[in-house]
Amino acid sequence: MSAKETKDSAPSGSAGEHAPTELSERRSSILEAVVAEYIQSAQPVGSSHVVTSTDLKVSPATIRSEMAQLEQEGYLTQPHTSAGRVPTDKGYRFFVDHLAAPSSTPAPQVKEVRNFFDQIHGEMEHVLEESSNLLANLTSYASVVVAPGHTTTSIASVQLIALSSTSVLVLVILTDGTVERSTVDLGSAVEAEIVAEASTLLTATYKGAELQALTATPTSPSAEVQRVLTAVSGPLSLLSSDAGEAQVFVGGPSKLADAFDAVETVRSVLSILEQQLVVVSLLRDVLSSGLSVAIGHEHGYEPLASCAVIVAPLEIDGKAAGAVGLLGPTRMQYPAAMAAAKAVGQELSERLSTLGHEVDH
Amino acid sequence: MSAKETKDSAPSGSAGEHAPTELSERRSSILEAVVAEYIQSAQPVGSSHVVTSTDLKVSPATIRSEMAQLEQEGYLTQPHTSAGRVPTDKGYRFFVDHLAAPSSTPAPQVKEVRNFFDQIHGEMEHVLEESSNLLANLTSYASVVVAPGHTTTSIASVQLIALSSTSVLVLVILTDGTVERSTVDLGSAVEAEIVAEASTLLTATYKGAELQALTATPTSPSAEVQRVLTAVSGPLSLLSSDAGEAQVFVGGPSKLADAFDAVETVRSVLSILEQQLVVVSLLRDVLSSGLSVAIGHEHGYEPLASCAVIVAPLEIDGKAAGAVGLLGPTRMQYPAAMAAAKAVGQELSERLSTLGHEVDH
DNA sequence: ATTTAGCACTCAAGTCTACAGAGTGCTAAT
DNA sequence: ATTAGCACTCTGTAGACTTGAGTGCTAAAT
């Protein structure tokens, strides 16, 4: 609601010496201490705790009055009177926007990500799935990779391949190297040459077009060829409608069981992750709002109110195409998780971009 | 350890009137009542409870002494003195083998499964994944589908398709309609005709062979063609090594959070499900032991000691190929779950079999 | 020789009280 | 503005007590 930017002021070195945006320097320090402590311990943080964990030269009483202010302004809450303070969504938001130094990308992680992408090979689906697992293992949070549909790539070739005398396999090969396929029963036997001819005709027609073009079928003077083309047209247009469908890869769902201790929360979050549509729209919403982190109620999904979502965009040749995300409790290790998501997002984007035109770097 | 067969004696109609195999009729009835009650309530079952839920004309005291016997023989335990009885793995085993009438396959479920397979279409992976989800939703347990590698099918065609002047896409098309692919960088520009020639040669060489054959590359008199063949040989043999790799589809992991109330159990079971290798070998072990159900410690995996695994085989044209499984707590709705797994296994087997030769029924 | 009624016994779980400890908010002094 | 001091509040734990479900045993009944 309040802050939209993640990167704003000059990226100073270590934490705690930022230009505060709405909070006095001291309050901001206190807030930082509370958030940091609570992320670690999951226990409400009391005033004397803050005194020992910061280098503020004040007494607990002073901290208390400041914390009371912070509570009134909505950054902190108490589970009950006479307990310590716990950050609210707004508190975490301030922490992420102003206190968690975004420049502190730990080098070893980046190295591990690089290593991974040097090692991994094989089909794109495999790479995406393993990327998701990597991110989950790196961060100990559940991860999500939403891969682009084929909206941007164009058709490289359409092949018909006879599997038997009466059935053919339809392959649509895209310029990024992915393949869509479908088996078609012709009803009666057809000569191999007829199939080949139809195949050539199809490639000639569609080459360079986008998947959406597959709804219009070409015609042929030969009745036999025409029969094949007609039989194939149905499945082809089906493929075109699948074109935009995003693929979702979920990594490390078991991490959720570590992150929450109420089994009911685990259940509901897991079941959200099973609904791919929801996941896709969640990430899209978060991305389009210009945020890279959505905390608690910031995204509209009530079942995920106790979660934070970190999203990094995927880009293929500079164009937005999917996203990688992390799902954890609101008391999340934001700096580390954001760095990991960013690193994986970047490296994966690069990998996806090179896949298409096989650059020799 | 004791019983291996699932279907043995005559399949009588309703429960409770079986020929007892090691237990007196009455004890067996008592055991049945305890298991059934405990599966429902998750509460230890006391002697008076058994009296009301069976039609035995005896007093609680008699039940008690019988239950004490059943405990001594290892079918039941007590969480503590003065609590009711809870089935042991052995108790569940007897229940599954002798008491849960296997013939009671509920018709509506079978119908739902049929419906599903009539509706579902698209790529094989998609069908497998959705089958897994279906099974999970049908039973409210987590489900696993382990799909066959490509060991049995043979090669229908090998296609090289130019994506750019210096890179080609290698497609290996199998007779079951699946496609393996890999992108190859040729290093320098190659004429389209050369690529086409290499493609024809490859198909001629490999057609009808199994994937494993891809390690030996053919040779060509033309130096240019030879260059392409050499460039392609590496990826091809990689594909051949991928051949046997099973695909694992997990459905409804969130159901696990319902099935167990200790979050730690949920975590450990989930993380098992993430290790596909373990899942595959688990199902294989269970299948090969001739059982369709493994309860508690019957499989060797300690982290799954509180789980039962139900497995139904998948067959393609009569040959064993993969399995569908269910993973739930030992206090599982065995009859329903077994029926569902069996139904989905059968229908899916049929579907997989027809995929290859596209029968028109 | 079973079956059963009766009884003593055990244990988990709930209720109540007491109490220590962590933490707050307020007030009055610095 | 800061802080020491104090009263207050709330949680959590521990112990004492009660309740209730359920058992095992024994001796009588069938």
Side-chain angles (χ1 to χ4, degrees), chain A residues 6 46 58 73 86 139 179 296 302 355:
Chain A
T6 299
V58 292
E73 292 170 40
V86 164
T139 60
V179 176
E302 265 318 299
L355 255 185

Side-chain angles (χ1 to χ4, degrees), chain A residues 159 173 254 258 267 274, chain B residues 159 161 181 254 258 267 274:
Chain A
Q159 301 273 324
I173 295 127
S254 73
D258 290 330
R267 201 205 62 77
E274 282 171 31
Chain B
Q159 300 274 322
I161 289 163
R181 67 173 187 274
S254 73
D258 291 331
R267 202 205 62 77
E274 281 170 31

Side-chain angles (χ1 to χ4, degrees), chain A residues 124-125 147-153 170 172 174 176 178-183 210-215 233-248 276-277 280, chain B residues 119-127 130:
Chain A
M124 181 166 118
E125 279 88 358
H150 302 300
T151 39
T152 49
T153 55
V170 188
V172 178
L174 303 173
D176 64 358
T178 52
V179 176
E180 295 289 334
R181 68 175 186 275
S182 181
T183 315
E210 312 235 318
L211 259 184
Q212 286 79 354
L214 287 173
T215 41
S233 74
L236 276 181
S237 47
L238 261 183
L239 287 185
S240 89
S241 68
D242 278 4
E245 239 181 44
Q247 300 168 286
V248 178
Q276 311 205 328
L277 278 175
V280 172
Chain B
Q119 304 266 327
I120 190 87
H121 68 280
E123 303 201 16
M124 181 167 118
E125 278 89 356
H126 184 228
V127 173
E130 289 303 322

